[in-house]
Amino acid sequence: MESTTTSDIEIMLSSQSKINEVDFENLTFGTVFTDHMLVCDFKNGEWQKPVIQPYQPFTLDPSTKVFHYGQAIFEGMKAYKDEQGDVWMFRANENFNRFNKSAIRLAMPEVPEEVFMGGLRKLLHIEKDWVRYGMGRSLYIRPYMIATGEGVIAQPSSEYKFVIILSPAKSYYNQEVKVVIANHYSRAANGGIGAAKAAGNYAGQFYPTKLAVEKGFQQIIWTDDATHTKLEEAGTMNVFFRINNTLITAPTSERILDGVTRKSLIDLAKREGIDVEVRSLLVDELLNAAKNGTLKEIFGAGTAAVINPIVGFAYEDLYFDLPKIENSMAMELKDKLNKIQYKLAEDTFGWTEKIE
């Protein structure tokens, strides 16, 4: 193992890479990880020196607070390789800012920019060979933070661990998606942590999603917790509805995650002259549009899937197939976003950053 130190990050390189053991043509999302990870501990009221080290397990005491009180947050983002072999991050500052908003909401310390962004840039530079070129290929980036203080007293931890791990990825979903609209279970509630990217948000939706899968659906379109009349998110993604030639998506709130892909698609759509309405769409509006033929498309939007078209939806005892259309807004927007991410089109928004 080779060890070096820069002014801000200690680097311990693996003695041997496992990259040649990886079948990049047959990747299962989120199961293969690169040679190195970044780790930085928060102790005695301050962040310690970040370390880039070989990917390896942690040892944690059974009383570690993350196991008992759920102080755990994360982000999801991607890096891409262009035709010239250069590696680019996409809107990483948005993820950094959202990460710290999640930290504040869960009474965790904010991560300094030099640790999050500086560490990420250095880690991507070291692992750039893991980023493969080709549409649909990327390097998925998972920053996360957990409470590592010990003891089962119900109070915030005094110690935390911030980590960034990297995973080579291809397309996230490879199947048609049918959804059921929630009329009982909720993903988030007013005053809760729905807008934070907290681990518990995802654990809480596994059970209702399992019930949906048992009925032949892949995901749930979540509705507001109070009335179950407002359409909010689709599974782990933000959701868009195309009625006639207008795109409608719910406004962000303390229930709805401020998705980076979501806001990128809104900006792209406006640039292309597509009418966009950021407002709550009611279940009744959706049902009426499906019945009278004005509902053209529904699609989820998120980092992992980018855009995932929904081919049908159910509500109570009703089911509707979505029409198959040639001029899909979802596919048009996905293509334009991908071309910016892979540097195949001009980035007029300034969303991409080259890794030197």
Side-chain angles (χ1 to χ4, degrees), residues 137-151:
R137 298 177 184 270
S138 62
L139 188 66
Y140 184 76
I141 303 165
R142 172 52 64 90
Y144 67 94
M145 178 165 50
I146 60 172
T148 53
E150 298 173 5

Side-chain angles (χ1 to χ4, degrees), residues 76-80 88-90 138-141 170 303-306:
M77 51 218 281
K78 286 181 178 179
Y80 305 85
W88 299 80
M89 292 191 299
F90 180 76
S138 62
L139 188 66
Y140 184 76
I141 303 165
K170 292 184 72 174
T303 297
V306 185

